[in-house]
Every structure is written in C-alpha cells, then in structure tokens.
Amino acid sequence: MYITIRGNILTFGVVASCFLLQRINAFVATSSSTGTSSSSFTFMSKNNLHRSVTSKPSHSTKLFGYIAADSSDEVLEFKEGGVGFTEDNAILMFGKVDRKGSAIATDMKHYSQVSSLGDISKLSGVTVLCKGSGNELYENPGLGTEKKIILAPLEAVSKSLESMENSGEKSKKVSINFTGGEDLMVHEVLEGVQRLVSGMDISSSSVEFRSLCDSSFPSEKCSVVALSFAGGSDTTEDIYWHEDQWWTLSEENLTVSDE
C-alpha cells in the first residue's frame, strides 16, 4: 500500500489515522465473507468529503477488537488531534549535512504562519549563493513505455546550480533552505540537499538545511536557496525564497501541540 504523507513530517496523529484506515480496510475485507448483517460508518477526509464504509461485523476475526461497528454512522474528524494540528501550521524540518554530504534531519518545529521578509539585500552578513524553483510533473506515457516524472525539489536544485550567483568556496556557514506546499516530501528534500552540496564548492563549510512546507503555498512547486552567512553574523537563518518572494519565520508564531 502506498501512503502519501502530508508535508515534511510523519507525525503521531498521521500515523494513528493511517493505522486506523488500514484497520478499516482490513476489517471490511476480512469480515465480508461472514454473511452477517451489515452496518456502516463514515469518516471525513481533510477536504471535508464523507466516505461511507459498510462492514459486516464478525466476532471470529481478531480485527474486531480494533473497530467495533454499530448500527449508527460515526464521523471521524480529521481536523482533530495531530492531523489537524499539522494541517493548520507550517512545518519546519531542519538538520545538518555531514562531511560525506549526507543530509541528516535532526528536529522539527511548527509555526502558525509564514511571514513576508521583503528585500534581503539589506540584511547584514548574508549572501545568496544560488536559488531556483521546480515544478512537479507526471506525464502519462500513453501508448509508449516511458513515463516522464519530474520531482519539484530536484528540479529546483538543478535550476539553482545552473544559475550560481556567488561562489561558496570561502563560506564558513551555509544554509540550504527548501520551501513548498503541503505535498513537499522529506525524502525528495534530503536527496535535493545532497545533490546541491555535491554540485557546489562548499566542502569546507558548515552546512545546514531547512525544509519548510505550508498549505498557503501552491502544491507541486518547490524552491530552494543556498545562503552563506559571514562569521559572527546574528542574522536569522530562517530565510526562504518561494514564488519570487522572500519569507521568514518568527518565534512569536511558534506553536506547540496540545496532544
């Protein structure tokens, strides 16, 4: 089974919901051959669509302990708990790049909103090394045999390497920051970080990365910017470029789940 996880992080709330839906499917499949009377329940998706599931309860299956259907309709609200929390907040995942060029995620934060930054040329000690944007593309082969698949983060990396603005050779600290909509995927970002590091002369730099996803940004699009920070600079590293604008995160918008 293939599961697309919303944005940067697989939260506990998403795990629980996916687990529950697997159990629903398994329960219906297992108990459908029992011939007992059926009952139904309904769950609501993130797009507020209702889906009814008809089940035939059977005490002979071990799965009955997980879902006990009754004669009434039950609505599972996806805005509740961890799933709703991640949908209502921007998710920031960040980490470091080791000496071998491997990207390692170390932590994550949630923010209630992303803020416009304006012109970053006035920020002290910050230099843009390169930036680029990519669009997702899945092309059906039709009568052919080859599918054309373009992953937005990887295309953004390719575009940024084609338009290097400054060399990172003497950079002491570099931050590689990805930005996208709620469909931004962790493994694609990590691969993009590694490709960008290998394509830039920053082997002597301390390299970090950030991946920011927010539902206010369009899906199937991703941007990346590589920034060099001068030694002793106290400028925030939360600088993101997306949709031809600069963005940042404010600590006053940092949120914590109640779960």
Side-chain angles (χ1 to χ4, degrees):
M1 183 179 70
Y2 179 80
I3 300 175
T4 300
I5 301 303
R6 185 268 179 185
N8 278 332
I9 197 69
L10 184 62
T11 63
F12 176 78
V14 177
V15 173
S17 297
C18 290
F19 175 80
L20 178 58
L21 292 181
Q22 287 185 81
R23 291 302 181 186
I24 290 173
N25 293 332
F27 178 80
V28 173
T30 303
S31 59
S32 61
S33 61
T34 63
T36 56
S37 59
S38 64
S39 58
S40 65
F41 55 91
T42 304
F43 63 88
M44 182 184 295
S45 72
K46 58 179 287 188
N47 297 319
N48 295 322
L49 299 175
H50 287 75
R51 179 179 298 173
S52 295
V53 178
T54 301
S55 64
K56 295 182 178 181
S58 168
H59 292 278
S60 64
T61 173
K62 294 181 180 179
L63 294 177
F64 185 78
Y66 291 101
I67 299 176
D70 54 33
S71 59
S72 62
D73 285 351
E74 181 181 355
V75 176
L76 304 181
E77 296 288 351
F78 274 75
K79 296 297 289 184
E80 299 288 336
V83 177
F85 180 74
T86 58
E87 287 183 355
D88 294 336
N89 289 270
I91 302 176
L92 172 65
M93 181 187 71
F94 52 96
K96 296 183 178 294
V97 179
D98 63 20
R99 290 300 178 184
K100 295 181 180 180
S102 298
I104 304 170
T106 58
D107 209 344
M108 62 166 283
K109 292 181 179 180
H110 294 79
Y111 293 83
S112 60
Q113 67 180 42
V114 180
S115 304
S116 177
L117 185 58
D119 185 8
I120 71 165
S121 62
K122 300 178 181 179
L123 297 179
S124 175
V126 182
T127 302
V128 177
L129 302 181
C130 62
K131 63 181 186 293
S133 295
N135 296 305
E136 204 93 348
L137 174 64
Y138 298 92
E139 190 173 277
N140 193 308
L143 298 177
T145 58
E146 294 185 7
K147 287 185 178 180
K148 186 176 182 180
I149 299 176
I150 297 177
L151 302 178
L154 303 187
E155 186 185 36
V157 167
S158 297
K159 294 289 183 62
S160 65
L161 290 174
E162 293 172 359
S163 56
M164 292 288 296
E165 299 179 26
N166 294 284
S167 171
E169 182 178 359
K170 297 181 180 180
S171 300
K172 296 297 183 183
K173 187 174 184 178
V174 173
S175 184
I176 299 173
N177 299 343
F178 286 81
T179 314
E182 62 179 6
D183 60 342
L184 188 62
M185 303 299 288
V186 176
H187 65 281
E188 295 173 6
V189 168
L190 297 180
E191 182 179 348
V193 171
Q194 293 173 192
R195 289 191 184 188
L196 193 54
V197 170
S198 65
M200 300 174 65
D201 188 10
I202 53 175
S203 57
S204 61
S205 307
S206 172
V207 183
E208 298 180 355
F209 75 90
R210 286 168 169 74
S211 176
L212 173 65
C213 74
D214 186 59
S215 59
S216 66
F217 294 133
S219 299
E220 300 183 349
K221 291 185 178 182
C222 177
S223 297
V224 63
V225 59
L227 302 164
S228 172
F229 292 86
S233 173
D234 58 356
T235 302
T236 177
E237 294 163 16
D238 282 314
I239 301 174
Y240 306 89
W241 183 74
H242 196 48
E243 295 290 283
D244 295 322
Q245 295 185 52
W246 293 101
W247 306 88
T248 191
L249 297 169
S250 173
E251 287 300 305
E252 66 184 20
N253 294 322
L254 185 66
T255 57
V256 179
S257 174
D258 294 329
E259 295 298 304

PDB file of all heavy atoms in Angstrom, residues 1-14:
ATOM      1  N   MET A   1       0.841  -1.198   0.000  1.00  0.00           N
ATOM      2  CA  MET A   1       0.000   0.000   0.000  1.00  0.00           C
ATOM      3  C   MET A   1       0.866   1.234   0.000  1.00  0.00           C
ATOM      4  O   MET A   1       1.870   1.305   0.714  1.00  0.00           O
ATOM      5  CB  MET A   1      -0.900   0.023   1.240  1.00  0.00           C
ATOM      6  CG  MET A   1      -1.850   1.207   1.249  1.00  0.00           C
ATOM      7  SD  MET A   1      -2.923   1.199   2.694  1.00  0.00           S
ATOM      8  CE  MET A   1      -1.742   1.572   3.960  1.00  0.00           C
ATOM      9  N   TYR A   2       0.521   2.231  -0.811  1.00  0.00           N
ATOM     10  CA  TYR A   2       1.286   3.467  -0.889  1.00  0.00           C
ATOM     11  C   TYR A   2       0.553   4.562  -0.137  1.00  0.00           C
ATOM     12  O   TYR A   2      -0.632   4.790  -0.348  1.00  0.00           O
ATOM     13  CB  TYR A   2       1.472   3.878  -2.347  1.00  0.00           C
ATOM     14  CG  TYR A   2       2.235   5.161  -2.512  1.00  0.00           C
ATOM     15  CD1 TYR A   2       3.624   5.163  -2.413  1.00  0.00           C
ATOM     16  CD2 TYR A   2       1.574   6.355  -2.747  1.00  0.00           C
ATOM     17  CE1 TYR A   2       4.334   6.334  -2.556  1.00  0.00           C
ATOM     18  CE2 TYR A   2       2.279   7.533  -2.890  1.00  0.00           C
ATOM     19  CZ  TYR A   2       3.662   7.521  -2.801  1.00  0.00           C
ATOM     20  OH  TYR A   2       4.357   8.689  -2.939  1.00  0.00           O
ATOM     21  N   ILE A   3       1.231   5.227   0.758  1.00  0.00           N
ATOM     22  CA  ILE A   3       0.633   6.291   1.552  1.00  0.00           C
ATOM     23  C   ILE A   3       1.410   7.574   1.314  1.00  0.00           C
ATOM     24  O   ILE A   3       2.627   7.603   1.463  1.00  0.00           O
ATOM     25  CB  ILE A   3       0.667   5.963   3.057  1.00  0.00           C
ATOM     26  CG1 ILE A   3      -0.117   4.680   3.329  1.00  0.00           C
ATOM     27  CG2 ILE A   3       0.098   7.116   3.872  1.00  0.00           C
ATOM     28  CD1 ILE A   3      -0.022   4.233   4.760  1.00  0.00           C
ATOM     29  N   THR A   4       0.734   8.650   0.915  1.00  0.00           N
ATOM     30  CA  THR A   4       1.364   9.956   0.783  1.00  0.00           C
ATOM     31  C   THR A   4       1.153  10.716   2.080  1.00  0.00           C
ATOM     32  O   THR A   4       0.026  10.967   2.474  1.00  0.00           O
ATOM     33  CB  THR A   4       0.756  10.748  -0.384  1.00  0.00           C
ATOM     34  OG1 THR A   4       0.957  10.000  -1.585  1.00  0.00           O
ATOM     35  CG2 THR A   4       1.432  12.103  -0.518  1.00  0.00           C
ATOM     36  N   ILE A   5       2.243  11.074   2.717  1.00  0.00           N
ATOM     37  CA  ILE A   5       2.168  11.775   3.991  1.00  0.00           C
ATOM     38  C   ILE A   5       2.222  13.269   3.746  1.00  0.00           C
ATOM     39  O   ILE A   5       3.033  13.750   2.964  1.00  0.00           O
ATOM     40  CB  ILE A   5       3.322  11.349   4.913  1.00  0.00           C
ATOM     41  CG1 ILE A   5       3.253   9.836   5.154  1.00  0.00           C
ATOM     42  CG2 ILE A   5       3.272  12.097   6.226  1.00  0.00           C
ATOM     43  CD1 ILE A   5       1.951   9.368   5.729  1.00  0.00           C
ATOM     44  N   ARG A   6       1.399  14.026   4.435  1.00  0.00           N
ATOM     45  CA  ARG A   6       1.333  15.466   4.270  1.00  0.00           C
ATOM     46  C   ARG A   6       2.623  16.108   4.727  1.00  0.00           C
ATOM     47  O   ARG A   6       3.007  16.049   5.874  1.00  0.00           O
ATOM     48  CB  ARG A   6       0.148  16.012   5.073  1.00  0.00           C
ATOM     49  CG  ARG A   6      -0.112  17.509   4.887  1.00  0.00           C
ATOM     50  CD  ARG A   6       0.589  18.332   5.910  1.00  0.00           C
ATOM     51  NE  ARG A   6       0.338  19.747   5.692  1.00  0.00           N
ATOM     52  CZ  ARG A   6       0.901  20.708   6.382  1.00  0.00           C
ATOM     53  NH1 ARG A   6       1.770  20.444   7.317  1.00  0.00           N
ATOM     54  NH2 ARG A   6       0.628  21.970   6.128  1.00  0.00           N
ATOM     55  N   GLY A   7       3.322  16.710   3.785  1.00  0.00           N
ATOM     56  CA  GLY A   7       4.426  17.592   4.105  1.00  0.00           C
ATOM     57  C   GLY A   7       5.640  16.923   4.691  1.00  0.00           C
ATOM     58  O   GLY A   7       5.950  15.775   4.425  1.00  0.00           O
ATOM     59  N   ASN A   8       6.341  17.682   5.534  1.00  0.00           N
ATOM     60  CA  ASN A   8       7.674  17.327   5.964  1.00  0.00           C
ATOM     61  C   ASN A   8       7.773  16.142   6.891  1.00  0.00           C
ATOM     62  O   ASN A   8       8.779  15.465   6.916  1.00  0.00           O
ATOM     63  CB  ASN A   8       8.297  18.519   6.702  1.00  0.00           C
ATOM     64  CG  ASN A   8       8.880  19.531   5.754  1.00  0.00           C
ATOM     65  OD1 ASN A   8       9.297  19.180   4.662  1.00  0.00           O
ATOM     66  ND2 ASN A   8       8.907  20.778   6.156  1.00  0.00           N
ATOM     67  N   ILE A   9       6.759  15.928   7.727  1.00  0.00           N
ATOM     68  CA  ILE A   9       6.992  15.030   8.851  1.00  0.00           C
ATOM     69  C   ILE A   9       5.846  14.049   9.030  1.00  0.00           C
ATOM     70  O   ILE A   9       4.696  14.368   8.790  1.00  0.00           O
ATOM     71  CB  ILE A   9       7.192  15.853  10.165  1.00  0.00           C
ATOM     72  CG1 ILE A   9       7.834  14.975  11.239  1.00  0.00           C
ATOM     73  CG2 ILE A   9       5.917  16.469  10.633  1.00  0.00           C
ATOM     74  CD1 ILE A   9       9.254  14.611  10.966  1.00  0.00           C
ATOM     75  N   LEU A  10       6.164  12.850   9.401  1.00  0.00           N
ATOM     76  CA  LEU A  10       5.170  11.823   9.711  1.00  0.00           C
ATOM     77  C   LEU A  10       4.857  11.926  11.196  1.00  0.00           C
ATOM     78  O   LEU A  10       5.552  11.393  12.039  1.00  0.00           O
ATOM     79  CB  LEU A  10       5.745  10.449   9.375  1.00  0.00           C
ATOM     80  CG  LEU A  10       4.828   9.250   9.551  1.00  0.00           C
ATOM     81  CD1 LEU A  10       3.630   9.383   8.633  1.00  0.00           C
ATOM     82  CD2 LEU A  10       5.580   7.979   9.258  1.00  0.00           C
ATOM     83  N   THR A  11       3.818  12.682  11.538  1.00  0.00           N
ATOM     84  CA  THR A  11       3.506  12.915  12.940  1.00  0.00           C
ATOM     85  C   THR A  11       2.742  11.745  13.530  1.00  0.00           C
ATOM     86  O   THR A  11       2.211  10.905  12.818  1.00  0.00           O
ATOM     87  CB  THR A  11       2.638  14.181  13.100  1.00  0.00           C
ATOM     88  OG1 THR A  11       1.399  13.946  12.430  1.00  0.00           O
ATOM     89  CG2 THR A  11       3.314  15.390  12.522  1.00  0.00           C
ATOM     90  N   PHE A  12       2.667  11.726  14.849  1.00  0.00           N
ATOM     91  CA  PHE A  12       1.942  10.659  15.528  1.00  0.00           C
ATOM     92  C   PHE A  12       0.484  10.645  15.102  1.00  0.00           C
ATOM     93  O   PHE A  12      -0.110   9.597  14.926  1.00  0.00           O
ATOM     94  CB  PHE A  12       2.036  10.837  17.042  1.00  0.00           C
ATOM     95  CG  PHE A  12       1.220   9.825  17.794  1.00  0.00           C
ATOM     96  CD1 PHE A  12       1.677   8.526  17.976  1.00  0.00           C
ATOM     97  CD2 PHE A  12      -0.027  10.158  18.298  1.00  0.00           C
ATOM     98  CE1 PHE A  12       0.917   7.596  18.650  1.00  0.00           C
ATOM     99  CE2 PHE A  12      -0.789   9.235  18.980  1.00  0.00           C
ATOM    100  CZ  PHE A  12      -0.312   7.950  19.156  1.00  0.00           C
ATOM    101  N   GLY A  13      -0.102  11.840  14.945  1.00  0.00           N
ATOM    102  CA  GLY A  13      -1.500  11.911  14.540  1.00  0.00           C
ATOM    103  C   GLY A  13      -1.730  11.275  13.189  1.00  0.00           C
ATOM    104  O   GLY A  13      -2.727  10.589  12.974  1.00  0.00           O
ATOM    105  N   VAL A  14      -0.812  11.496  12.240  1.00  0.00           N
ATOM    106  CA  VAL A  14      -0.947  10.905  10.913  1.00  0.00           C
ATOM    107  C   VAL A  14      -0.762   9.402  10.986  1.00  0.00           C
ATOM    108  O   VAL A  14      -1.468   8.636  10.347  1.00  0.00           O
ATOM    109  CB  VAL A  14       0.082  11.526   9.938  1.00  0.00           C
ATOM    110  CG1 VAL A  14      -0.005  10.846   8.576  1.00  0.00           C
ATOM    111  CG2 VAL A  14      -0.170  13.020   9.798  1.00  0.00           C
TER     112      VAL A  14
END
